[in-house]
């Protein structure tokens, strides 16, 4: 399949190839497209979440608790680890969601400093609705461009690329 004529990533690669032919430009069409897709998808996700009255941080918190399975409860340290955020960021998210009635903090177990956070019924309903709308919408985005085998191949290749990228 050829590249669209108005493809910015291909144009950037061609320009660098012309201007400095000794430079490797093979990464430009890949990484520039990933960055462009990330920007477009981030903007689209923000609009979709606004439509379902949810922000990304709250969705991440509620989704992490929901994916944990019954009783939909995790200690704050585990929430931070699963969300790849700091303990301070978890505290802010939990505070905001608790004020909205979406989660509740439970007393720490005797001898433990771990504070469990659990979904409330309202939080469970909110995350179910938001995730359902979001995932259906995002699947439609992917379905318009790629069939099932292409989606699986792209997911496999992106996982391979991601695993090879440096951390920190």
């Amino acid at each position: 399949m050829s590249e669209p004529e108005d493809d910015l990533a291909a144009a950037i690669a061609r320009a660098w190839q012309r201007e400095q032919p000794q430079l490797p430009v093979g990464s430009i069409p890949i990484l520039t497209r990933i960055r462009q897709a990330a920007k477009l998808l981030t903007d689209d996700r923000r609009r979709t979440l606004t439509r379902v009255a949810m922000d990304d941080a709250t969705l991440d918190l509620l989704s992490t608790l929901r994916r944990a399975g019954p009783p939909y409860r995790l200690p704050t340290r585990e929430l931070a680890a699963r969300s790849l955020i700091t303990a301070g960021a978890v505290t802010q998210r939990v505070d905001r969601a608790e004020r909205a009635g979406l989660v509740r903090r439970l007393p720490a177990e005797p001898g433990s400093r771990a504070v469990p956070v659990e979904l409330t019924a309202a939080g469970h309903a909110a995350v179910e609705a938001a995730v359902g709308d979001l995932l259906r919408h995002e699947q439609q985005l992917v379905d318009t461009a790629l069939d099932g085998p292409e989606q699986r191949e792209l997911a496999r290749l992106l996982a391979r690329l991601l695993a090879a990228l440096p951390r920190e």
Side-chain angles (χ1 to χ4, degrees), residues 42-167:
T42 298
D43 292 347
D44 184 78
R45 185 180 187 105
R46 189 176 304 112
R47 287 188 300 272
T48 302
L49 289 175
T50 297
R51 193 179 73 247
V52 299
M54 180 84 57
D55 64 84
D56 202 42
T58 302
L59 178 67
D60 184 46
L61 172 68
L62 300 181
S63 295
T64 301
L65 289 167
R66 175 61 180 89
R67 289 190 314 266
Y72 311 110
R73 177 186 310 147
L74 290 171
T76 52
R77 180 173 291 166
E78 184 68 20
L79 283 168
R82 291 186 187 194
S83 297
L84 304 175
I85 59 175
T86 66
V90 166
T91 298
Q92 290 176 359
R93 289 179 181 189
V94 170
D95 287 348
R96 194 169 45 247
E98 192 171 36
R99 283 191 302 273
L102 302 172
V103 301
R104 70 177 143 259
R105 286 182 174 94
L106 301 172
E109 297 287 325
S112 172
R113 294 184 342 178
V115 177
V117 177
E118 144 180 296
L119 275 178
T120 62
H124 193 96
V127 71
E128 293 286 315
V131 166
D133 283 359
L134 180 65
L135 292 181
R136 280 187 288 277
H137 173 73
E138 290 181 343
Q139 187 63 52
Q140 287 175 342
L141 292 176
V142 174
D143 287 345
T144 61
L146 305 169
D147 64 23
E150 290 169 327
Q151 291 175 32
R152 289 186 291 280
E153 178 67 3
L154 180 57
R156 185 187 69 75
L157 291 171
L158 288 172
R160 195 164 128 197
L161 176 63
L162 187 59
L165 294 177
R167 305 277 190 247

Side-chain angles (χ1 to χ4, degrees), residues 13-28:
R14 286 192 304 271
W16 279 117
Q17 188 68 64
R18 180 188 70 242
E19 294 300 317
Q20 293 193 352
Q22 77 282 5
L23 289 179
V25 297
S27 66
I28 293 173

Side-chain angles (χ1 to χ4, degrees), residues 1-14 25-26 28-30 33:
M1 176 179 275
S2 65
E3 299 166 344
E5 286 185 31
D6 65 344
D7 180 44
L8 179 63
I12 291 169
R14 286 192 304 271
V25 297
I28 293 173
I30 298 165
R33 288 181 184 124

